[in-house]
Amino acid sequence: MGDILSVIVHLTDSGWQVIYHRAHALLAAQLAGHWQRSNAPLRLYETLAAISHHDDLEREWEGDHLTEAGAPLDFTVTTRSPDVNSSIPVLSDLVTGARYRGRWVAMLVSMHIYFLNQDKHGTTPEWDQFLNEQIQYQEEWRKGLGIEKDEAERAYQFMRWCDRLSLILSQNQLPDAQRALEITSGIDGQRYDVRQLEDEKVTVEPWPFEEEQFTVNVEACHLSDLKFESNEALTKALQEAPIQVVEWTFVKQ
């Protein structure tokens, strides 16, 4: 969010596969929706709303989205230093927008923004003020909602878990040879691992979902050109690109 570019890019045999960050957030919400109900966090449906909308201020058509060679720029690669004058207003707007969905959604979005930017504490007075405000807001919202800090933290760790697994899928990070990859250990201190099976289905250990099998998906744009002359050319190509639906079927082992 903020200074992070908002597309996930893969090189394929026939060009580029591009997944928008907001589409990845929707994939995270799909995963959350399949979670075992008896072990779900408080206010599951509001938590789903926070997961699906936490990247709402991404600007797919703004900024520099090309590498020096003219290839689409993945969100994990940055070519510029963060600008405090532009970053903080964008993040503040994200919290404000979440507030219209309710205090629970705003609290989780604020916690996520704080987590992603906590290393900026002490860098500038502006960042200190912004981050301290998030802590204050979160305390006010917890008090108003009548919930304990550990209950809010469990819901946020659930949000992070779903976000992390969605990124693993969207970034093609599933290891080869059925090797396990840790998702997170944040929910009640329980470690969860994801593996891709020999038949290309996916499993999570221990199994945290309600059903024994389900399918999730994300939409991706396919670009046949490997390089682009300008951001405008990339934007036009993305708007006209064919859409591919990428699916993963999860099964309990």
Side-chain angles (χ1 to χ4, degrees):
M1 295 183 298
D3 290 296
I4 300 176
L5 293 175
S6 55
V7 291
I8 298 166
V9 180
H10 305 294
L11 181 63
T12 70
D13 293 339
S14 57
W16 299 104
Q17 181 190 77
V18 178
I19 297 173
Y20 293 124
H21 222 68
R22 280 183 279 194
H24 132 68
L26 183 57
L27 173 60
Q30 290 179 52
L31 294 164
H34 289 284
W35 193 265
Q36 187 178 22
R37 291 297 184 268
S38 62
N39 194 35
L42 292 178
R43 305 174 80 133
L44 176 61
Y45 292 106
E46 291 163 87
T47 303
L48 281 167
I51 294 169
S52 64
H53 293 291
H54 74 272
D55 285 323
D56 268 4
L57 283 192
E58 291 293 356
R59 296 290 186 252
E60 280 80 8
W61 313 120
E62 296 180 9
D64 186 2
H65 289 263
L66 293 175
T67 66
E68 291 183 4
L73 189 66
D74 185 78
F75 86 102
T76 58
V77 180
T78 180
T79 58
R80 63 190 188 281
S81 299
D83 179 5
V84 66
N85 295 319
S86 62
S87 300
I88 290 178
V90 168
L91 296 173
S92 295
D93 285 347
L94 182 55
V95 176
T96 300
R99 178 65 184 85
Y100 293 115
R101 289 192 170 91
R103 291 170 295 177
W104 183 268
V105 175
M107 178 190 71
L108 290 179
V109 170
S110 174
M111 291 173 75
H112 192 55
I113 287 172
Y114 184 90
F115 172 76
L116 293 177
N117 294 281
Q118 58 186 319
D119 61 335
K120 296 182 177 67
H121 255 308
T123 57
T124 68
E126 293 83 3
W127 274 116
D128 285 349
Q129 178 181 347
F130 173 76
L131 292 170
N132 290 334
E133 284 175 351
Q134 299 315 305
I135 295 173
Q136 181 180 346
Y137 292 153
Q138 291 162 28
E139 291 176 351
E140 292 173 357
W141 290 327
R142 287 198 306 269
K143 183 177 180 181
L145 290 163
I147 62 166
E148 299 297 326
K149 188 174 182 179
D150 60 345
E151 295 174 316
E153 181 63 24
R154 188 177 193 273
Y156 174 60
Q157 290 300 328
F158 173 77
M159 177 175 171
R160 274 196 64 206
W161 190 97
C162 298
D163 191 59
R164 170 66 181 143
L165 180 53
S166 174
L167 276 177
I168 290 171
L169 299 175
S170 298
Q171 294 178 300
N172 286 346
Q173 289 183 344
L174 289 171
D176 296 329
Q178 303 186 62
R179 288 179 291 116
L181 175 64
E182 183 179 2
I183 303 170
T184 76
S185 300
I187 305 173
D188 303 325
Q190 172 65 59
R191 172 175 173 147
Y192 291 92
D193 293 294
V194 61
R195 287 193 300 124
Q196 186 166 40
L197 305 174
E198 192 173 358
D199 60 4
E200 296 192 350
K201 292 179 180 177
V202 179
T203 194
V204 172
E205 297 159 335
W207 185 252
F209 300 110
E210 185 75 20
E211 309 101 319
E212 293 192 357
Q213 179 170 322
F214 62 90
T215 300
V216 294
N217 67 77
V218 71
E219 290 193 351
C221 300
H222 176 71
L223 301 175
S224 55
D225 292 334
L226 291 179
K227 61 181 296 185
F228 299 87
E229 296 300 322
S230 65
N231 286 296
E232 291 74 21
L234 173 61
T235 295
K236 186 173 186 296
L238 283 170
Q239 290 172 331
E240 297 174 353
I243 303 298
Q244 300 170 330
V245 177
V246 186
E247 292 186 339
W248 297 269
T249 296
F250 282 73
V251 292
K252 182 178 180 179
Q253 288 289 284

